[in-house]
Amino acid sequence: MIDKINSLKAEIESLVASSPEEVEQIRIKYLSKKGLVSALFNDFRALPPEQKRELGQKLNELKNFATEKVNALRESLAAADDDASASIDLTRTAAPVATGTRHPLSIVKNEICDIFSRMGFTIAEGPEIEDDWHVFSSLNFAADHPARDMQDTFFIQRNPTDVLLRTHTSSVQTRVMEKTQPPIRIICPGRVYRNEAISARAHCFFHQVEGLYIDRNVSFADLKQVLLAFAREMFGPETQIRLRPSYFPFTEPSAEMDISCHICGGKGCPFCKGTGWVEILGCGMVDPNVLEACGIDSKEYTGYAFGMGIERITNLKYRVKDLRMFSENDVRFLHEFDAARK
Ligand code: DAH
C-alpha cells in the first residue's frame, strides 16, 4: 500500500497540462469517485486497524497533494493566458494597410456611366468573344470591308462561322435590339480588341462606351443636345462641340465630334495641334438597315448611336502620354489617380 501511495505521488508530481481540458482530465483520472486516489481509499477500508492510522494520514496527504497539483496546473494556465493578453497593446495604431486604387480607366468609365445614367440611359453589356453577325453583318458592314480582314481583327475561328474578339462595343447594340423593342436607351461600356502593333499610341485592346437611343421621332438634334450635355459635364461648362461629317457603316448620316481644346480653351496649342479642337467620338443616326436586321421597324422608329474610346477621354482629362501605361500595372502610375477616385 505504501508503495502504491508513493508511486502515485511521484506520478502526480510529474504531471503537466497545456489546456484547461487536460487539467480536467487529470482531475477525473485521480480525484473523481472512480479515480485512482479514491480507489486507494477503497483498498484502505479493508486494511487491519493497526495499519490504518499511519496509512490514513499518508492517503490524506496524497489526496491533498493531488488536489493542490490540479489547482496549481489550473492557475498556471490562467496566468499564462493573462500574460499573453497583457502583451497585446490594444491601443496601438495598426500598421498601415496598403490599399489599392481605382484604375484610371475605371474612374473615367464610371464618370461617363454616371453622366449618361442621369440622362436616363441604362447600362448593357455583352460578350467579348463574338460572332461575325453581331460585330459586322448586322451592323451593315460590306462583305469586303477591311475590318473583316485578319490584319485588323483577331479571329478565334474562321468558317463555317467566324468567332472573333469584338473590335467595337457596337456589337452590344445588336444584342439588345434583337431582344428588345423600342424605346431603347442604353450605354455599353466594355473592352474591345484590334490587331494592332503595340506602341505609345495604339494597343491591341482598349475600352469603349457605346450609346444607343431608339424611339419614335428621334432626331439628329436630340443626338447633338445629349452629346453637348455630356461634353460639358465631362470637360466643364465652357466646352464647345463641333460635328464633322464622317462615315460609319452602321449610321447614316455619320459624324465625328470634336470638343474645344480644354487645355488652351480653343486658342490653339501643341496638344490640339494648333486647331483648338480635339476629336472625342463617332456618332450618327442608326442606319435603317441595322434596325431591320435586328427586327425593328425602321418606318416607325429612328435612333442615334455614338461610340467613344475610354482611353482617349482619359488621356484628354489626365494627359497620359503612353497608352501602354494603362496595362502595365505600375503602382506609381496607378497611385497618381488616388485623388480622382470616386
Ligand atoms: N464603333 C465605332 C468604332 O469602334 C465607334 C462608333 C462610331 C460607334 C459611330 C457608334 C457610332 O455607335 O455611331 O470606331
Side-chain angles (χ1 to χ4, degrees), residues 95-207:
V97 179
T99 51
T101 58
R102 263 206 212 298
H103 193 280
L105 294 177
S106 301
I107 295 171
V108 171
K109 180 194 79 179
N110 290 346
E111 206 174 331
I112 296 170
C113 289
D114 277 357
I115 293 170
F116 283 107
S117 300
R118 288 201 291 277
M119 293 196 267
F121 288 76
T122 54
I123 292 170
E125 283 176 322
E128 291 178 17
I129 297 175
E130 267 292 8
D131 50 32
D132 171 273
W133 169 255
H134 290 96
V135 177
F136 299 130
S137 296
S138 64
L139 292 167
N140 206 31
F141 278 76
D144 58 355
H145 193 283
R148 292 171 179 264
D149 199 277
M150 302 275 280
Q151 306 262 300
D152 295 285
T153 301
F154 289 116
F155 287 89
I156 294 169
Q157 177 194 303
R158 298 217 79 164
N159 302 323
T161 43
D162 284 348
V163 180
L164 48 101
L165 296 178
R166 66 180 179 193
T167 56
H168 56 182
T169 42
S170 305
S171 54
V172 186
Q173 290 188 12
T174 303
R175 289 202 169 266
V176 172
M177 286 191 281
E178 280 173 339
K179 282 196 297 231
T180 330
Q181 280 299 304
I184 295 170
R185 183 156 32 190
I186 51 163
I187 49 163
C188 323
R191 179 175 282 185
V192 301
Y193 301 83
R194 283 184 203 175
N195 194 355
E196 305 244 13
I198 297 172
S199 71
R201 300 172 56 91
H203 211 297
C204 60
F205 63 79
F206 55 99
H207 301 78

Side-chain angles (χ1 to χ4, degrees), residues 167-168 170 173 194 208 210-211 248 250-251 282-284 305-307:
T167 56
H168 56 182
S170 305
Q173 290 188 12
R194 283 184 203 175
Q208 291 186 329
E210 182 82 12
F248 300 102
F250 33 89
T251 44
C283 60
F306 54 87

Side-chain angles (χ1 to χ4, degrees), residues 121 183-186 211-215 218 222 286 302-305:
F121 288 76
I184 295 170
R185 183 156 32 190
I186 51 163
L212 177 72
Y213 178 39
I214 302 184
D215 205 343
V218 178
D222 297 324
V286 179
T302 51
Y304 62 69

Side-chain angles (χ1 to χ4, degrees), residues 268-341:
C269 67
F271 187 79
C272 58
K273 300 196 184 78
T275 64
W277 296 96
V278 283
E279 183 197 321
I280 67 160
L281 55 79
C283 60
M285 299 306 291
V286 179
D287 193 302
N289 289 342
V290 174
L291 295 175
E292 295 294 338
C294 299
I296 291 174
D297 185 351
S298 64
K299 292 194 186 64
E300 193 173 349
Y301 294 106
T302 51
Y304 62 69
F306 54 87
M308 66 187 90
I310 302 181
E311 278 80 351
R312 172 106 187 119
I313 308 275
T314 310
N315 285 349
L316 290 179
K317 279 205 90 149
Y318 299 111
R319 277 183 273 167
V320 178
K321 294 211 177 65
D322 189 331
L323 262 185
R324 290 168 290 196
M325 295 300 285
F326 289 126
S327 50
E328 274 169 4
N329 281 339
D330 183 332
V331 287
R332 291 166 301 181
F333 170 71
L334 297 175
H335 277 294
E336 285 187 34
F337 299 88
D338 281 5
R341 174 166 63 174

